[in-house]
Amino acid sequence: MADHENFYTRPPVDVSGGKCPFSGGLGDEFNPFEDPYLSNPWSFLEKARREEPIFYSPLINHWVVTRYDDVRRVLGDPESFSNRMSQSPVKPWPKEAIEIFEARGFPLIPNLNNSDPPEHTKLRAFMRGAFTPRKLKWLEQPTRDFFNEAIDDLQGKQSADIVKEVFHDTPARVLFKMLGIPDEDIAMVKGWSEGRALLTWGRLSDEEIVAQIPSFCDYLQYCFDRVDALEANPGEDYISELIQQWHAEKPEGITKQNIAVMLFGLLMAGHDTTTNLSGNTVRALLTHREQWELLCQDPSLIPNAVEEGLRYEGSVIAWRRVTTRDVEIAGVEVPANSMVLVVLGSANRDRSHFSDPDTFDIRRENARDHLSFSFGPHFCMGSPLARLEMKVYLEELTRRIPSLRMVPGQKPDYLPNTSHRGSSTLLVEWDRIEPR
């Protein structure tokens, strides 16, 4: 093992002293892993913003922050709210799982998602070429081609599960082209990503955690092996470019292991989130039929519709920080070393910042004020790619299938976890598909 602290197996600090001194109120009601919150968190979060904007949850050992201004403050202050625990499991792994994981001896190094300045600043500078305008321009046509191929596969049908048949693979094909991952690995990596979400942000039983660990290890090993393969045989992809940049610049403190862990992070952040966002946004548009019709009539509204989709039901509903000192949030004293769950989705529906926040409105003037891509030094590097993909998807869907409508009577299913939100299914139907 590396000589640094392992961020997957270290337990979170328990500030309760085993006595749950902060229990009571909404903290005892909060359960992000089950209904009614899992299906519809919005009514609970509205009550929290109004009555108890920060509360302690004994279930997950986190302080939960719900108001826009407080969430923005936490995200923007890395000196008081460290990001170092964001990849650590919400539920600590049992001893048997830790032993299996540590036996593999992965040389894990904190990455963008779980480091603080100055290390985070150094890593971000090293990755400066990830989402440049030139790279986005290079990706736009493949994005459009991949999406149209998925629509073409629907020809001859008049109904489909659009998440499974269109949104599942397309974001992965785009990202994998950028990262130098073969198309044939899509199903494997998507399966690994779902397991990783449950291991990190879910609340599996101890037996389920132990069962998932081998696949999680295979996912990590794949990333280390892929970097080795691209170093030996570079392609026209970003990871090959990053390896060549590393050899040429020899940046202090950056190792090849950093690149493998970066790949591990990008593979999770860059496609599952877009799959979920695509399904969430199209569901919102078809549920609010007048908004879909408006978009079909006026495609110039698409960029703002993307922002409203991110605000209304983004694919990352919450993220985590840990306090570095005693702090006050919304009048409540939070001890040092406390875990904090910042509920981005709640901030995005705070009526103190957004008028009629539960209304889906693609003309909303301040839709881009959402916090779905975080805020401050950890603002999502991949946001330009997510915005590009969503813009292309909505352009092609409204152009080629304007009669698209949702099959009535279906209920979305959501993965039981604190942070990632998206249904694995969305049944739709249509009258005809226009040619490319």
Short mmCIF file of all heavy atoms in Angstrom, two decimals, residues 169-228:
data_model
loop_
_atom_site.label_atom_id
_atom_site.label_comp_id
_atom_site.label_asym_id
_atom_site.label_seq_id
_atom_site.Cartn_x
_atom_site.Cartn_y
_atom_site.Cartn_z
N ASP A 169 -25.93 4.56 -23.57
CA ASP A 169 -24.62 4.40 -24.20
C ASP A 169 -24.05 5.67 -24.81
O ASP A 169 -22.83 5.83 -24.88
CB ASP A 169 -24.71 3.34 -25.31
CG ASP A 169 -24.76 1.92 -24.76
OD1 ASP A 169 -24.78 1.77 -23.52
OD2 ASP A 169 -24.80 0.98 -25.57
N THR A 170 -24.91 6.58 -25.27
CA THR A 170 -24.40 7.71 -26.05
C THR A 170 -23.42 8.59 -25.28
O THR A 170 -22.33 8.89 -25.79
CB THR A 170 -25.57 8.56 -26.59
OG1 THR A 170 -26.45 7.72 -27.33
CG2 THR A 170 -25.05 9.65 -27.50
N PRO A 171 -23.71 9.03 -24.04
CA PRO A 171 -22.70 9.83 -23.31
C PRO A 171 -21.41 9.06 -23.10
O PRO A 171 -20.32 9.65 -23.12
CB PRO A 171 -23.40 10.15 -21.98
CG PRO A 171 -24.86 10.01 -22.27
CD PRO A 171 -24.96 8.91 -23.27
N ALA A 172 -21.52 7.75 -22.88
CA ALA A 172 -20.31 6.95 -22.70
C ALA A 172 -19.49 6.90 -23.99
O ALA A 172 -18.26 6.98 -23.96
CB ALA A 172 -20.68 5.54 -22.25
N ARG A 173 -20.15 6.78 -25.13
CA ARG A 173 -19.42 6.74 -26.41
C ARG A 173 -18.66 8.06 -26.63
O ARG A 173 -17.53 8.06 -27.12
CB ARG A 173 -20.39 6.49 -27.56
CG ARG A 173 -21.00 5.11 -27.58
CD ARG A 173 -21.79 4.88 -28.86
NE ARG A 173 -20.92 4.77 -30.03
CZ ARG A 173 -21.38 4.75 -31.28
NH1 ARG A 173 -22.67 4.85 -31.51
NH2 ARG A 173 -20.52 4.64 -32.29
N VAL A 174 -19.31 9.17 -26.27
CA VAL A 174 -18.64 10.48 -26.41
C VAL A 174 -17.43 10.55 -25.50
O VAL A 174 -16.32 10.90 -25.93
CB VAL A 174 -19.63 11.62 -26.09
CG1 VAL A 174 -18.91 12.97 -26.09
CG2 VAL A 174 -20.78 11.64 -27.09
N LEU A 175 -17.65 10.24 -24.23
CA LEU A 175 -16.55 10.33 -23.26
C LEU A 175 -15.44 9.35 -23.59
O LEU A 175 -14.26 9.67 -23.48
CB LEU A 175 -17.08 10.08 -21.85
CG LEU A 175 -16.04 10.28 -20.74
CD1 LEU A 175 -15.79 11.76 -20.51
CD2 LEU A 175 -16.48 9.62 -19.44
N PHE A 176 -15.82 8.14 -23.99
CA PHE A 176 -14.81 7.12 -24.26
C PHE A 176 -13.97 7.50 -25.47
O PHE A 176 -12.78 7.18 -25.52
CB PHE A 176 -15.47 5.76 -24.46
CG PHE A 176 -15.98 5.14 -23.19
CD1 PHE A 176 -16.10 5.88 -22.02
CD2 PHE A 176 -16.36 3.81 -23.15
CE1 PHE A 176 -16.57 5.32 -20.85
CE2 PHE A 176 -16.84 3.23 -21.99
CZ PHE A 176 -16.94 3.98 -20.84
N LYS A 177 -14.58 8.16 -26.45
CA LYS A 177 -13.80 8.64 -27.59
C LYS A 177 -12.75 9.64 -27.11
O LYS A 177 -11.59 9.61 -27.52
CB LYS A 177 -14.70 9.28 -28.64
CG LYS A 177 -13.93 9.79 -29.87
CD LYS A 177 -14.85 10.34 -30.93
CE LYS A 177 -14.07 10.85 -32.14
NZ LYS A 177 -13.31 9.78 -32.83
N MET A 178 -13.17 10.50 -26.20
CA MET A 178 -12.25 11.50 -25.66
C MET A 178 -11.13 10.85 -24.84
O MET A 178 -9.98 11.28 -24.88
CB MET A 178 -13.02 12.49 -24.80
CG MET A 178 -12.15 13.52 -24.11
SD MET A 178 -13.13 14.60 -23.04
CE MET A 178 -11.82 15.43 -22.15
N LEU A 179 -11.46 9.79 -24.09
CA LEU A 179 -10.50 9.20 -23.16
C LEU A 179 -9.75 8.00 -23.72
O LEU A 179 -8.89 7.45 -23.03
CB LEU A 179 -11.23 8.78 -21.88
CG LEU A 179 -11.92 9.89 -21.08
CD1 LEU A 179 -12.59 9.32 -19.84
CD2 LEU A 179 -10.94 10.99 -20.71
N GLY A 180 -10.06 7.58 -24.92
CA GLY A 180 -9.34 6.47 -25.51
C GLY A 180 -9.78 5.12 -24.99
O GLY A 180 -8.97 4.19 -24.87
N ILE A 181 -11.09 4.97 -24.69
CA ILE A 181 -11.64 3.72 -24.20
C ILE A 181 -12.42 3.05 -25.33
O ILE A 181 -13.26 3.69 -25.97
CB ILE A 181 -12.58 3.96 -23.00
CG1 ILE A 181 -11.88 4.77 -21.92
CG2 ILE A 181 -13.11 2.64 -22.45
CD1 ILE A 181 -10.71 4.10 -21.27
N PRO A 182 -12.20 1.77 -25.60
CA PRO A 182 -12.91 1.10 -26.69
C PRO A 182 -14.43 1.04 -26.46
O PRO A 182 -14.88 0.85 -25.32
CB PRO A 182 -12.32 -0.32 -26.69
CG PRO A 182 -11.02 -0.21 -25.96
CD PRO A 182 -11.21 0.88 -24.95
N ASP A 183 -15.20 1.17 -27.53
CA ASP A 183 -16.66 1.11 -27.43
C ASP A 183 -17.14 -0.19 -26.79
O ASP A 183 -18.14 -0.21 -26.08
CB ASP A 183 -17.29 1.22 -28.83
CG ASP A 183 -17.62 2.66 -29.20
OD1 ASP A 183 -17.31 3.57 -28.41
OD2 ASP A 183 -18.19 2.87 -30.29
N GLU A 184 -16.42 -1.27 -27.06
CA GLU A 184 -16.87 -2.57 -26.54
C GLU A 184 -16.80 -2.67 -25.02
O GLU A 184 -17.34 -3.60 -24.43
CB GLU A 184 -16.07 -3.71 -27.17
CG GLU A 184 -14.56 -3.62 -27.00
CD GLU A 184 -13.87 -2.96 -28.19
OE1 GLU A 184 -14.51 -2.14 -28.89
OE2 GLU A 184 -12.68 -3.25 -28.42
N ASP A 185 -16.18 -1.69 -24.37
CA ASP A 185 -16.09 -1.71 -22.91
C ASP A 185 -17.22 -0.93 -22.23
O ASP A 185 -17.26 -0.84 -21.00
CB ASP A 185 -14.74 -1.13 -22.45
CG ASP A 185 -13.57 -2.05 -22.81
OD1 ASP A 185 -13.83 -3.20 -23.19
OD2 ASP A 185 -12.42 -1.60 -22.72
N ILE A 186 -18.13 -0.35 -23.02
CA ILE A 186 -19.18 0.50 -22.45
C ILE A 186 -20.00 -0.22 -21.39
O ILE A 186 -20.16 0.26 -20.27
CB ILE A 186 -20.11 1.05 -23.56
CG1 ILE A 186 -19.39 2.13 -24.37
CG2 ILE A 186 -21.40 1.63 -22.96
CD1 ILE A 186 -20.20 2.67 -25.52
N ALA A 187 -20.54 -1.39 -21.74
CA ALA A 187 -21.43 -2.09 -20.80
C ALA A 187 -20.70 -2.42 -19.50
O ALA A 187 -21.26 -2.27 -18.41
CB ALA A 187 -21.98 -3.35 -21.45
N MET A 188 -19.46 -2.84 -19.63
CA MET A 188 -18.67 -3.21 -18.45
C MET A 188 -18.44 -2.00 -17.54
O MET A 188 -18.67 -2.05 -16.32
CB MET A 188 -17.34 -3.79 -18.90
CG MET A 188 -16.40 -4.22 -17.80
SD MET A 188 -14.96 -5.08 -18.48
CE MET A 188 -14.19 -3.77 -19.47
N VAL A 189 -18.02 -0.88 -18.13
CA VAL A 189 -17.74 0.31 -17.33
C VAL A 189 -19.02 0.89 -16.73
O VAL A 189 -19.02 1.35 -15.58
CB VAL A 189 -16.99 1.36 -18.18
CG1 VAL A 189 -16.83 2.66 -17.41
CG2 VAL A 189 -15.61 0.83 -18.57
N LYS A 190 -20.13 0.87 -17.49
CA LYS A 190 -21.39 1.38 -16.95
C LYS A 190 -21.83 0.55 -15.74
O LYS A 190 -22.30 1.09 -14.73
CB LYS A 190 -22.48 1.35 -18.02
CG LYS A 190 -22.26 2.29 -19.19
CD LYS A 190 -22.52 3.74 -18.86
CE LYS A 190 -23.96 4.10 -18.90
NZ LYS A 190 -24.19 5.56 -18.79
N GLY A 191 -21.65 -0.76 -15.83
CA GLY A 191 -22.00 -1.62 -14.69
C GLY A 191 -21.13 -1.33 -13.49
O GLY A 191 -21.61 -1.24 -12.36
N TRP A 192 -19.83 -1.16 -13.73
CA TRP A 192 -18.92 -0.82 -12.64
C TRP A 192 -19.31 0.51 -11.99
O TRP A 192 -19.23 0.67 -10.77
CB TRP A 192 -17.50 -0.72 -13.17
CG TRP A 192 -16.82 -2.03 -13.41
CD1 TRP A 192 -17.11 -3.24 -12.83
CD2 TRP A 192 -15.70 -2.26 -14.28
NE1 TRP A 192 -16.25 -4.20 -13.30
CE2 TRP A 192 -15.36 -3.63 -14.18
CE3 TRP A 192 -14.95 -1.44 -15.11
CZ2 TRP A 192 -14.32 -4.20 -14.90
CZ3 TRP A 192 -13.90 -1.99 -15.83
CH2 TRP A 192 -13.58 -3.36 -15.73
N SER A 193 -19.71 1.48 -12.81
CA SER A 193 -20.03 2.81 -12.29
C SER A 193 -21.24 2.78 -11.36
O SER A 193 -21.27 3.46 -10.34
CB SER A 193 -20.29 3.78 -13.45
OG SER A 193 -19.11 3.99 -14.20
N GLU A 194 -22.23 1.98 -11.71
CA GLU A 194 -23.40 1.87 -10.84
C GLU A 194 -23.00 1.25 -9.51
O GLU A 194 -23.43 1.71 -8.43
CB GLU A 194 -24.49 1.03 -11.50
CG GLU A 194 -25.74 0.92 -10.65
CD GLU A 194 -26.89 0.24 -11.38
OE1 GLU A 194 -27.18 0.62 -12.53
OE2 GLU A 194 -27.51 -0.67 -10.78
N GLY A 195 -22.18 0.22 -9.54
CA GLY A 195 -21.71 -0.38 -8.30
C GLY A 195 -20.89 0.59 -7.48
O GLY A 195 -21.01 0.63 -6.24
N ARG A 196 -20.07 1.39 -8.14
CA ARG A 196 -19.26 2.38 -7.42
C ARG A 196 -20.15 3.41 -6.73
O ARG A 196 -19.86 3.81 -5.59
CB ARG A 196 -18.30 3.07 -8.39
CG ARG A 196 -17.45 4.13 -7.73
CD ARG A 196 -16.60 4.89 -8.72
NE ARG A 196 -15.90 5.98 -8.07
CZ ARG A 196 -15.23 6.93 -8.72
NH1 ARG A 196 -15.16 6.90 -10.04
NH2 ARG A 196 -14.63 7.90 -8.06
N ALA A 197 -21.22 3.84 -7.40
CA ALA A 197 -22.12 4.82 -6.78
C ALA A 197 -22.73 4.27 -5.50
O ALA A 197 -22.83 4.97 -4.48
CB ALA A 197 -23.22 5.22 -7.77
N LEU A 198 -23.12 3.00 -5.53
CA LEU A 198 -23.71 2.40 -4.34
C LEU A 198 -22.68 2.20 -3.23
O LEU A 198 -22.98 2.41 -2.06
CB LEU A 198 -24.35 1.05 -4.71
CG LEU A 198 -25.63 1.13 -5.55
CD1 LEU A 198 -26.02 -0.25 -6.05
CD2 LEU A 198 -26.76 1.76 -4.75
N LEU A 199 -21.46 1.82 -3.60
CA LEU A 199 -20.42 1.62 -2.60
C LEU A 199 -20.00 2.92 -1.93
O LEU A 199 -19.67 2.94 -0.74
CB LEU A 199 -19.18 0.98 -3.25
CG LEU A 199 -19.15 -0.54 -3.37
CD1 LEU A 199 -17.91 -0.97 -4.15
CD2 LEU A 199 -19.16 -1.20 -1.99
N THR A 200 -20.00 4.01 -2.69
CA THR A 200 -19.50 5.28 -2.16
C THR A 200 -20.61 6.11 -1.53
O THR A 200 -20.43 6.66 -0.44
CB THR A 200 -18.81 6.08 -3.27
OG1 THR A 200 -17.82 5.27 -3.89
CG2 THR A 200 -18.14 7.33 -2.70
N TRP A 201 -21.76 6.22 -2.19
CA TRP A 201 -22.81 7.13 -1.72
C TRP A 201 -24.09 6.42 -1.29
O TRP A 201 -25.06 7.07 -0.93
CB TRP A 201 -23.13 8.14 -2.83
CG TRP A 201 -21.95 8.98 -3.19
CD1 TRP A 201 -21.41 10.02 -2.47
CD2 TRP A 201 -21.12 8.84 -4.35
NE1 TRP A 201 -20.31 10.53 -3.12
CE2 TRP A 201 -20.10 9.83 -4.27
CE3 TRP A 201 -21.12 8.00 -5.46
CZ2 TRP A 201 -19.11 9.98 -5.26
CZ3 TRP A 201 -20.14 8.14 -6.43
CH2 TRP A 201 -19.15 9.12 -6.32
N GLY A 202 -24.08 5.09 -1.33
CA GLY A 202 -25.27 4.35 -0.94
C GLY A 202 -25.19 3.83 0.48
O GLY A 202 -24.29 4.18 1.25
N ARG A 203 -26.14 2.95 0.80
CA ARG A 203 -26.16 2.35 2.14
C ARG A 203 -26.46 0.86 2.01
O ARG A 203 -27.52 0.36 2.42
CB ARG A 203 -27.18 3.05 3.04
CG ARG A 203 -27.00 2.69 4.52
CD ARG A 203 -27.79 3.60 5.43
NE ARG A 203 -27.59 3.26 6.83
CZ ARG A 203 -26.56 3.65 7.56
NH1 ARG A 203 -25.62 4.40 7.01
NH2 ARG A 203 -26.45 3.30 8.82
N LEU A 204 -25.53 0.15 1.39
CA LEU A 204 -25.65 -1.28 1.22
C LEU A 204 -25.45 -2.01 2.55
O LEU A 204 -24.85 -1.47 3.48
CB LEU A 204 -24.60 -1.78 0.22
CG LEU A 204 -24.64 -1.20 -1.19
CD1 LEU A 204 -23.44 -1.70 -1.99
CD2 LEU A 204 -25.93 -1.55 -1.90
N SER A 205 -25.94 -3.23 2.61
CA SER A 205 -25.63 -4.06 3.78
C SER A 205 -24.16 -4.45 3.73
O SER A 205 -23.50 -4.36 2.68
CB SER A 205 -26.50 -5.32 3.77
OG SER A 205 -26.12 -6.17 2.69
N ASP A 206 -23.63 -4.91 4.86
CA ASP A 206 -22.23 -5.33 4.89
C ASP A 206 -21.97 -6.43 3.86
O ASP A 206 -20.94 -6.46 3.18
CB ASP A 206 -21.84 -5.82 6.28
CG ASP A 206 -21.66 -4.67 7.27
OD1 ASP A 206 -21.75 -3.50 6.84
OD2 ASP A 206 -21.44 -4.94 8.46
N GLU A 207 -22.93 -7.37 3.74
CA GLU A 207 -22.77 -8.47 2.78
C GLU A 207 -22.75 -7.94 1.35
O GLU A 207 -21.98 -8.42 0.50
CB GLU A 207 -23.91 -9.48 2.96
CG GLU A 207 -23.89 -10.23 4.28
CD GLU A 207 -24.39 -9.40 5.47
OE1 GLU A 207 -25.04 -8.34 5.23
OE2 GLU A 207 -24.14 -9.80 6.62
N GLU A 208 -23.60 -6.97 1.05
CA GLU A 208 -23.64 -6.39 -0.29
C GLU A 208 -22.35 -5.63 -0.60
O GLU A 208 -21.85 -5.66 -1.73
CB GLU A 208 -24.85 -5.46 -0.43
CG GLU A 208 -26.18 -6.19 -0.46
CD GLU A 208 -27.37 -5.26 -0.34
OE1 GLU A 208 -27.26 -4.22 0.36
OE2 GLU A 208 -28.42 -5.57 -0.93
N ILE A 209 -21.81 -4.94 0.39
CA ILE A 209 -20.54 -4.22 0.19
C ILE A 209 -19.43 -5.21 -0.15
O ILE A 209 -18.68 -5.02 -1.12
CB ILE A 209 -20.18 -3.39 1.44
CG1 ILE A 209 -21.16 -2.24 1.62
CG2 ILE A 209 -18.74 -2.85 1.33
CD1 ILE A 209 -20.99 -1.48 2.93
N VAL A 210 -19.33 -6.28 0.62
CA VAL A 210 -18.29 -7.28 0.37
C VAL A 210 -18.45 -7.87 -1.03
O VAL A 210 -17.46 -8.07 -1.76
CB VAL A 210 -18.35 -8.40 1.44
CG1 VAL A 210 -17.44 -9.56 1.07
CG2 VAL A 210 -17.96 -7.83 2.80
N ALA A 211 -19.70 -8.10 -1.46
CA ALA A 211 -19.94 -8.67 -2.79
C ALA A 211 -19.55 -7.71 -3.91
O ALA A 211 -19.15 -8.14 -5.00
CB ALA A 211 -21.41 -9.06 -2.92
N GLN A 212 -19.64 -6.40 -3.66
CA GLN A 212 -19.34 -5.40 -4.69
C GLN A 212 -17.85 -5.10 -4.80
O GLN A 212 -17.39 -4.61 -5.84
CB GLN A 212 -20.07 -4.08 -4.36
CG GLN A 212 -21.56 -4.09 -4.67
CD GLN A 212 -21.85 -3.88 -6.16
OE1 GLN A 212 -20.95 -3.62 -6.96
NE2 GLN A 212 -23.11 -4.00 -6.53
N ILE A 213 -17.09 -5.35 -3.75
CA ILE A 213 -15.68 -4.93 -3.73
C ILE A 213 -14.85 -5.51 -4.88
O ILE A 213 -14.06 -4.78 -5.50
CB ILE A 213 -15.05 -5.26 -2.37
CG1 ILE A 213 -15.62 -4.34 -1.28
CG2 ILE A 213 -13.52 -5.10 -2.42
CD1 ILE A 213 -15.27 -2.88 -1.43
N PRO A 214 -14.99 -6.78 -5.24
CA PRO A 214 -14.17 -7.28 -6.36
C PRO A 214 -14.39 -6.52 -7.66
O PRO A 214 -13.42 -6.22 -8.38
CB PRO A 214 -14.61 -8.74 -6.47
CG PRO A 214 -15.05 -9.11 -5.09
CD PRO A 214 -15.72 -7.88 -4.58
N SER A 215 -15.64 -6.18 -7.98
CA SER A 215 -15.91 -5.40 -9.20
C SER A 215 -15.33 -3.99 -9.09
O SER A 215 -14.81 -3.44 -10.08
CB SER A 215 -17.42 -5.33 -9.46
OG SER A 215 -17.93 -6.59 -9.79
N PHE A 216 -15.42 -3.41 -7.91
CA PHE A 216 -14.84 -2.09 -7.68
C PHE A 216 -13.33 -2.13 -7.92
O PHE A 216 -12.75 -1.23 -8.55
CB PHE A 216 -15.16 -1.66 -6.25
CG PHE A 216 -14.71 -0.27 -5.88
CD1 PHE A 216 -15.41 0.84 -6.31
CD2 PHE A 216 -13.58 -0.08 -5.09
CE1 PHE A 216 -15.00 2.12 -5.96
CE2 PHE A 216 -13.16 1.19 -4.74
CZ PHE A 216 -13.89 2.29 -5.17
N CYS A 217 -12.69 -3.19 -7.43
CA CYS A 217 -11.25 -3.34 -7.64
C CYS A 217 -10.94 -3.55 -9.11
O CYS A 217 -9.95 -3.01 -9.63
CB CYS A 217 -10.73 -4.52 -6.82
SG CYS A 217 -10.75 -4.26 -5.03
N ASP A 218 -11.79 -4.30 -9.81
CA ASP A 218 -11.58 -4.51 -11.24
C ASP A 218 -11.68 -3.19 -12.00
O ASP A 218 -10.94 -2.96 -12.97
CB ASP A 218 -12.61 -5.49 -11.79
CG ASP A 218 -12.38 -6.92 -11.32
OD1 ASP A 218 -11.27 -7.22 -10.83
OD2 ASP A 218 -13.33 -7.74 -11.43
N TYR A 219 -12.59 -2.32 -11.57
CA TYR A 219 -12.76 -1.00 -12.19
C TYR A 219 -11.48 -0.17 -12.04
O TYR A 219 -10.95 0.40 -13.01
CB TYR A 219 -13.93 -0.32 -11.51
CG TYR A 219 -14.51 0.91 -12.19
CD1 TYR A 219 -14.03 1.39 -13.40
CD2 TYR A 219 -15.59 1.58 -11.60
CE1 TYR A 219 -14.60 2.51 -14.01
CE2 TYR A 219 -16.16 2.69 -12.20
CZ TYR A 219 -15.66 3.15 -13.40
OH TYR A 219 -16.22 4.25 -14.00
N LEU A 220 -10.96 -0.14 -10.83
CA LEU A 220 -9.71 0.59 -10.59
C LEU A 220 -8.55 -0.01 -11.39
O LEU A 220 -7.78 0.71 -12.02
CB LEU A 220 -9.38 0.55 -9.10
CG LEU A 220 -9.82 1.75 -8.26
CD1 LEU A 220 -9.69 1.43 -6.78
CD2 LEU A 220 -9.03 3.00 -8.61
N GLN A 221 -8.46 -1.34 -11.38
CA GLN A 221 -7.36 -2.00 -12.11
C GLN A 221 -7.44 -1.69 -13.60
O GLN A 221 -6.42 -1.48 -14.27
CB GLN A 221 -7.43 -3.51 -11.89
CG GLN A 221 -6.21 -4.25 -12.42
CD GLN A 221 -4.93 -3.85 -11.69
OE1 GLN A 221 -4.85 -3.97 -10.47
NE2 GLN A 221 -3.95 -3.34 -12.43
N TYR A 222 -8.67 -1.65 -14.12
CA TYR A 222 -8.87 -1.32 -15.54
C TYR A 222 -8.25 0.04 -15.86
O TYR A 222 -7.61 0.21 -16.90
CB TYR A 222 -10.36 -1.31 -15.84
CG TYR A 222 -10.72 -0.90 -17.25
CD1 TYR A 222 -10.77 -1.84 -18.28
CD2 TYR A 222 -11.02 0.43 -17.56
CE1 TYR A 222 -11.11 -1.46 -19.58
CE2 TYR A 222 -11.34 0.81 -18.86
CZ TYR A 222 -11.39 -0.14 -19.85
OH TYR A 222 -11.72 0.24 -21.13
N CYS A 223 -8.45 1.01 -14.98
CA CYS A 223 -7.93 2.36 -15.21
C CYS A 223 -6.40 2.38 -15.19
O CYS A 223 -5.77 3.02 -16.05
CB CYS A 223 -8.50 3.33 -14.19
SG CYS A 223 -10.29 3.56 -14.35
N PHE A 224 -5.80 1.68 -14.23
CA PHE A 224 -4.33 1.62 -14.19
C PHE A 224 -3.78 0.90 -15.43
O PHE A 224 -2.81 1.34 -16.04
CB PHE A 224 -3.87 0.92 -12.91
CG PHE A 224 -3.92 1.81 -11.69
CD1 PHE A 224 -5.04 1.86 -10.88
CD2 PHE A 224 -2.83 2.60 -11.36
CE1 PHE A 224 -5.09 2.69 -9.77
CE2 PHE A 224 -2.86 3.43 -10.24
CZ PHE A 224 -3.99 3.48 -9.46
N ASP A 225 -4.45 -0.19 -15.81
CA ASP A 225 -3.99 -0.94 -16.99
C ASP A 225 -4.17 -0.12 -18.27
O ASP A 225 -3.34 -0.19 -19.18
CB ASP A 225 -4.76 -2.26 -17.11
CG ASP A 225 -4.42 -3.25 -16.02
OD1 ASP A 225 -3.39 -3.04 -15.32
OD2 ASP A 225 -5.18 -4.22 -15.83
N ARG A 226 -5.26 0.65 -18.34
CA ARG A 226 -5.52 1.43 -19.54
C ARG A 226 -4.46 2.51 -19.72
O ARG A 226 -4.03 2.79 -20.85
CB ARG A 226 -6.93 2.05 -19.46
CG ARG A 226 -7.42 2.62 -20.77
CD ARG A 226 -7.61 1.53 -21.80
NE ARG A 226 -7.72 2.09 -23.14
CZ ARG A 226 -7.44 1.44 -24.25
NH1 ARG A 226 -7.00 0.20 -24.20
NH2 ARG A 226 -7.57 2.01 -25.42
N VAL A 227 -4.06 3.14 -18.63
CA VAL A 227 -3.00 4.15 -18.71
C VAL A 227 -1.70 3.52 -19.19
O VAL A 227 -0.99 4.08 -20.04
CB VAL A 227 -2.81 4.87 -17.35
CG1 VAL A 227 -1.55 5.72 -17.34
CG2 VAL A 227 -4.04 5.74 -17.06
N ASP A 228 -1.39 2.34 -18.67
CA ASP A 228 -0.18 1.63 -19.14
C ASP A 228 -0.28 1.34 -20.64
O ASP A 228 0.71 1.51 -21.38
CB ASP A 228 0.00 0.32 -18.38
CG ASP A 228 0.47 0.54 -16.95
OD1 ASP A 228 1.01 1.62 -16.65
OD2 ASP A 228 0.29 -0.38 -16.12
#
